[in-house]
């Protein structure tokens, strides 16, 4: 899936983050959620899965953008 196929819900580029290097939340065309963040080493996830850490403020921004 290309980034262009995602709807960016957070991180409008203002502030200290660049255009592509901030923690962000995206929505796919099918309605699922994709997150971008720092890789977490909390524990080893199952094969084919991964964990990322994103600040609470980014999740709150995504919830507001979705109107939840």
């Amino acid at each position: 899936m290309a980034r262009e196929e995602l709807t960016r819900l957070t991180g409008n580029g203002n502030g200290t983050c660049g255009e592509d290097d901030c923690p962000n939340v995206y929505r796919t065309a099918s309605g699922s959620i994709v997150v971008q963040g720092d890789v977490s080493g909390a524990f080893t996830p199952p094969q084919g899965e991964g964990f990322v850490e994103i600040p609470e403020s980014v999740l709150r921004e995504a919830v507001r953008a979705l109107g939840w």
Side-chain angles (χ1 to χ4, degrees):
M1 173 180 313
R3 182 178 288 195
E4 295 78 27
E5 298 176 65
L6 304 173
T7 300
R8 190 173 179 167
L9 301 175
T10 59
N12 60 13
N14 295 334
T16 60
C17 294
E19 188 63 28
D20 296 327
D21 63 351
C22 297
N24 281 298
V25 178
Y26 300 88
R27 190 173 201 177
T28 68
S30 66
S32 62
I33 301 296
V34 175
V35 296
Q36 171 188 354
D38 294 329
V39 175
S40 174
F43 61 93
T44 303
Q47 186 173 1
E49 297 182 7
F51 297 114
V52 298
E53 294 184 30
I54 59 173
E56 180 180 332
S57 61
V58 173
L59 289 177
R60 289 181 183 275
E61 184 181 353
V63 167
R64 281 192 298 275
L66 291 168
W68 293 352

